[in-house]
Amino acid sequence: MKKLLSLAGIALLAASLFAQTLKVGATPEPHAELLNLIKDDLAAQGITLKVIEFTDYVTPNDAVEAGDLDANYFQHIPYLNSFNEEKGYHLVNAGGIHVEPFALYSNKVKSVKDLKKKASIAIPNDPTNEGRALLLLQEAGLITLREGAGLTATPLDVKSNPLKLKFREIEAASLPRTLNDVDAAVINGNYAIPAGLSAAKDGLFVEGSSSPYVNIIAVKAGNENKAEIQALVKALQSDKVKEYITKKYPNGDVITVF
């Protein structure tokens, strides 16, 4: 009996020694939602997942660089690269999970063709998402950017603007709240969805499904091969998550890339 108790004690000690707490920062939907979906899967592997929600695009990266978070899940690769360059950070992609198509929304018009001269258009004010928004407006035929402007385009790079659209550069999280104050707004998926907006149903113009803006798990360089990070990515790149996304977002507002 004592031997059995001793063995049980050793097993409990081993479990405690190998238990791992993983702190991951995320924007609420769908990122935190998907992380909470896989908590039990990671717990079965001895990993306690703590999800910390953020509503901005800066703090989660600061926290990973400082070591206050093990990873974050909210951004795409162009944004991460731009952030590293601007801040001198060392964040890397540990795995791609999904794409949220950008879309142009409006509470005032029903079609891109209904936009009038000097219409006000709200766009994200962070570097890569601003460029992405302008590229979307170009694809919609509303503007033309100078050659080579690319992902880091700003309103200063607009070469042709037939409607003389007026751009309002606004923090991405605040964009849904501007819809009553502007004629239209280009809104990131992870802020459009919680606001009750569907790119497929409500978007005046929607980014193509071949978007390169894959949302990733980001970690500090050197941590991407840690067992717990790989377990996190594997759990997110699972049939369970794919099936959940397919059922929750049947209109393609969130699209898996695995």
Side-chain angles (χ1 to χ4, degrees):
M1 186 67 169
K2 287 183 179 179
K3 187 174 182 181
L4 287 173
L5 288 172
S6 177
L7 289 172
I10 291 171
L12 286 172
L13 177 60
S16 66
L17 287 174
F18 287 103
Q20 174 74 41
T21 297
L22 197 59
K23 293 186 291 184
V24 182
T27 44
E29 190 177 2
H31 306 83
E33 177 185 16
L34 297 177
L35 288 168
N36 286 319
L37 181 69
I38 62 166
K39 274 188 173 182
D40 290 344
D41 303 300
L42 292 177
Q45 302 175 57
I47 301 170
T48 300
L49 177 60
K50 289 190 176 180
V51 182
I52 299 94
E53 292 192 13
F54 296 88
T55 58
D56 72 282
Y57 285 174
V58 176
T59 314
N61 276 344
D62 289 343
V64 171
E65 179 71 18
D68 298 324
L69 290 175
D70 298 297
N72 66 44
Y73 178 32
F74 75 94
Q75 66 193 313
H76 51 63
I77 296 170
Y79 182 80
L80 176 130
N81 292 339
S82 173
F83 207 95
N84 278 337
E85 185 176 348
E86 179 184 349
K87 297 271 192 175
Y89 282 3
H90 312 85
L91 306 177
V92 298
N93 170 20
I97 312 300
H98 75 273
V99 169
E100 298 161 23
F102 250 32
L104 178 68
Y105 299 92
S106 176
N107 283 349
K108 298 183 178 179
V109 299
K110 299 295 183 183
S111 166
V112 170
K113 295 179 181 179
D114 295 331
L115 288 170
K116 298 182 178 178
K117 281 197 172 183
K118 297 185 179 179
S120 56
I121 310 292
I123 58 177
N125 66 356
D126 58 274
T128 53
N129 283 312
E130 181 170 56
R132 183 182 181 186
L134 292 169
L135 287 168
L136 179 73
L137 295 175
Q138 177 174 252
E139 189 179 351
L142 292 169
I143 62 172
T144 301
L145 298 170
R146 68 171 180 81
E147 188 175 350
L151 301 181
T152 58
T154 74
L156 296 175
D157 294 306
V158 175
K159 181 180 178 181
S160 173
N161 184 3
L163 291 178
K164 301 188 185 305
L165 299 174
K166 296 181 180 296
F167 301 104
R168 290 183 57 184
E169 298 165 279
I170 293 171
E171 184 184 5
S174 301
L175 285 167
R177 297 194 294 273
T178 70
L179 282 174
N180 289 329
D181 302 318
V182 298
D183 293 295
V186 182
I187 304 177
N188 307 53
N190 60 316
Y191 292 129
I193 293 168
L197 297 169
S198 163
K201 292 180 179 179
D202 306 310
L204 302 185
F205 193 84
V206 184
E207 194 174 50
S209 59
S210 60
S211 166
Y213 297 90
V214 177
N215 282 222
I216 61 171
I217 293 295
V219 300
K220 193 164 185 179
N223 294 335
E224 62 271 27
N225 293 320
K226 284 187 174 181
E228 61 271 22
I229 296 297
Q230 292 186 344
L232 171 67
V233 172
K234 185 176 180 180
L236 285 169
Q237 293 176 340
S238 65
D239 289 339
K240 175 181 179 178
V241 169
K242 181 174 285 190
E243 289 169 9
Y244 178 85
I245 287 175
T246 300
K247 289 179 181 178
K248 179 73 184 287
Y249 305 102
N251 294 314
D253 292 316
V254 178
I255 304 168
T256 57
V257 297
F258 52 88

